Amino acid sequence: MITIEHPSIRKSVADLGYGLLPVFFRETEKYALIVKAPKEAILTARINQEMSLYLVPDGSRRSHSLGIITAFYDDHDEPLVLFTPMYSGNQLQIDIGRVLNQDAFEVFFFDENHREMMGVRVRVNDSAKVRAKLEQQDFNDLVLDQVGNDLEAMRAWFGMRSTSDDDAAFVLRFEDRLYPDDLVFIDANPNAYDFHGAEGSPAYTSLERREPGGFQERDIVGLLKRSFPASSIYLNPIRLDSGKEYADILCLTDEIMLVVQGKDSPNTEASLRRSIERKRSVIRAHIGKASQQLRGALSFAKGLGPNALKVGTSDSEHSLNIHGRLTCGLVVVRELLDDDYRACSTPVLNISIECELPCVLTDYSALHMMTMHLTSPARLMSGFLQLFDVGVENGEFPKPRFLGPPAG
């Protein structure tokens, strides 16, 4: 595993939102590739034993390219994708070219919490063709104000691609595993379980998940810890009056209260192979259920004084005052389909009207990007309130986008 042999690599991976990161090994003078992607994309790659890289043309400039789209085909028409814009003379563009100029190389897959989930050796299908195509391409100069437009152009091109575009993609076929697939990852670093409700238990995860709930809650906590101190995060707090769970996660500072309900699906081949319409139906059902749970939590909170909740076992209880703070509800789902934001937003917006409190909907990828860039309770809450304002104005929540490096 690259994180065992080169543990410092995790810092570079942690600074990457999503996408491709070339790595040069001086001892072998060879390049490898790190792919940072959602767990669903990584499992899809493992199941398919391949992934595809599309060199996206710039429609306004002949022989120029905008960058690379990496596709993981859980569904033929709407695969999971990563966007990597590339620019002339940029080191990323140079190094990716050097990676793909090799007939075979190693690829390491990391998730949003920069955990190494899979390592494989791949071979480039028709590497001579790949080399020739790369040599023919030019890339545009970097203009920061243009990057957002470049990403939209890449997205539009991929949505309109033809079968000949699919045939021209660089296919990376898996040859060998660098280590076994059926691993369970245990993070025994004390910082991984220093929040309320962790019960002193190290976090563990696996790529394939048949029971997603507990894994997803811990993963969301891992993201929120970028913005909130661990002492302000409470996993599965319990109502004292009923003994029932109050919320999946509660973030509580002197000024802010964030109530989180998360919903996920199993990360299995059967789940990934669902049709788009079936996925759409499941997402909507999850949002409807989470919205009702959020309504109960927020309604309960509005009329309470101190000592309403507890966290942990009877040996480590914490009484919380959840009254008198800037309060926001958050629903986090596995993914949101680009053409379904309005329908998915409606239940959450309705709860905000009913409870007279801001409520926001994001998918896990959006929360990952927000917490990378908004690294304090106030900044993250400000981001949520901006999403809420746009949602109220337009009847649907926007997809947050950040250009440039993460905070720090």
Side-chain angles (χ1 to χ4, degrees):
M1 296 180 73
I2 192 172
T3 45
I4 292 177
E5 296 181 355
H6 304 275
S8 62
I9 199 70
R10 290 193 72 190
K11 176 61 172 66
S12 297
V13 176
D15 291 337
L16 176 67
Y18 287 111
L20 310 179
L21 178 65
V23 179
F24 180 66
F25 294 112
R26 295 186 184 279
E27 59 270 25
T28 60
E29 295 189 344
K30 292 185 179 297
Y31 282 85
L33 186 66
I34 286 174
V35 179
K36 190 169 183 180
K39 65 184 186 299
E40 296 83 11
I42 301 173
L43 183 58
T44 298
R46 192 178 87 178
I47 293 168
N48 293 342
Q49 295 291 288
E50 66 179 32
M51 59 185 187
S52 299
L53 273 60
Y54 291 78
L55 194 59
V56 182
D58 183 348
S60 63
R61 302 186 67 181
R62 192 174 181 180
S63 80
H64 278 239
S65 294
L66 295 172
I68 287 176
I69 290 177
T70 309
F72 307 88
Y73 277 92
D74 63 329
D75 178 88
H76 178 72
D77 292 326
E78 299 187 52
L80 301 166
V81 295
L82 302 175
F83 295 89
T84 307
M86 303 199 308
Y87 298 95
S88 178
N90 180 273
Q91 195 63 46
L92 175 65
Q93 178 256 316
I94 295 170
D95 287 344
I96 286 181
R98 290 169 175 168
V99 171
L100 295 177
N101 272 329
Q102 302 171 123
D103 292 337
F105 53 90
E106 294 176 345
V107 180
F108 303 91
F109 293 84
F110 286 74
D111 70 359
E112 294 92 341
N113 280 306
H114 44 274
R115 296 172 297 206
E116 184 179 349
M117 306 299 289
M118 184 170 70
V120 296
R121 184 170 179 80
V122 306
R123 183 164 295 277
V124 182
N125 186 43
D126 198 350
S127 56
K129 181 189 74 172
V130 172
R131 280 192 284 270
K133 190 168 184 179
L134 287 173
E135 290 172 358
Q136 297 167 4
Q137 296 302 307
D138 292 316
F139 294 89
N140 298 330
D141 294 331
L142 174 61
V143 179
L144 287 177
D145 292 343
Q146 183 64 26
V147 173
N149 294 333
D150 292 342
L151 287 168
E152 287 302 323
M154 293 175 71
R155 187 183 302 276
W157 176 87
F158 192 75
M160 299 294 291
R161 74 191 186 282
S162 64
T163 53
S164 62
D165 293 323
D166 289 335
D167 293 340
F170 309 156
V171 180
L172 307 185
R173 294 209 164 93
F174 298 1
E175 287 193 326
D176 301 303
R177 293 289 196 275
L178 302 181
Y179 43 83
D181 285 337
D182 55 343
L183 295 179
V184 173
F185 301 87
I186 300 174
D187 190 346
N189 187 322
N191 292 333
Y193 54 97
D194 56 355
F195 52 91
H196 301 291
E199 303 294 332
S201 174
Y204 70 95
T205 192
S206 61
L207 181 56
E208 190 167 357
R209 302 176 178 182
R210 300 188 180 279
E211 299 294 335
F215 289 112
Q216 189 210 36
E217 291 169 3
R218 283 283 188 121
D219 285 352
I220 292 174
V221 169
L223 302 185
L224 291 172
K225 284 182 63 182
R226 302 168 183 171
S227 304
F228 285 89
S231 60
S232 70
I233 299 176
Y234 300 81
L235 177 65
N236 307 132
I238 303 298
R239 288 173 47 167
L240 289 179
D241 64 334
S242 65
K244 295 181 179 179
E245 183 176 293
Y246 172 70
D248 288 336
I249 302 160
L250 177 69
C251 298
L252 201 71
T253 70
D254 290 340
E255 297 84 20
I256 290 172
M257 173 175 158
L258 178 66
V259 183
V260 184
Q261 289 294 150
K263 296 295 177 186
D264 198 1
S265 295
N267 199 40
T268 62
E269 181 171 4
S271 179
L272 293 172
R273 297 302 191 200
R274 289 171 176 163
S275 68
I276 288 295
E277 286 308 311
R278 174 58 179 157
K279 290 179 180 179
R280 189 188 315 275
S281 175
V282 170
I283 292 167
R284 291 183 180 183
H286 282 169
I287 292 171
K289 184 175 182 179
S291 297
Q292 293 306 312
Q293 292 171 329
L294 190 61
R295 179 182 65 176
L298 294 177
S299 299
F300 181 73
K302 287 182 69 176
L304 288 180
N307 304 325
L309 305 174
K310 68 175 182 178
V311 179
T313 66
S314 57
D315 295 329
S316 57
E317 294 183 1
H318 302 266
S319 294
L320 308 178
N321 182 352
I322 60 175
H323 192 66
R325 292 173 168 88
L326 175 60
T327 300
C328 181
L330 173 64
V331 173
V332 182
V333 293
R334 174 181 186 157
E335 66 177 327
L336 288 170
L337 301 177
D338 287 346
D339 62 350
D340 208 31
Y341 269 68
R342 182 169 293 273
C344 290
S345 298
T346 298
V348 182
L349 289 170
N350 287 342
I351 296 304
S352 69
I353 295 171
E354 184 176 341
C355 295
E356 299 180 314
L357 290 168
C359 298
V360 177
L361 169 69
T362 74
D363 59 19
Y364 186 81
S365 296
L367 182 63
H368 160 59
M369 295 303 296
M370 291 185 73
T371 54
M372 280 192 70
H373 290 264
L374 306 175
T375 54
S376 73
R379 292 186 66 197
L380 184 61
M381 184 63 80
S382 177
F384 287 143
L385 294 179
Q386 288 183 51
L387 294 184
F388 174 69
D389 288 342
V390 174
V392 170
E393 180 179 353
N394 298 322
E396 64 179 280
F397 294 105
K399 176 183 291 187
R401 172 177 288 166
F402 297 87
L403 302 178

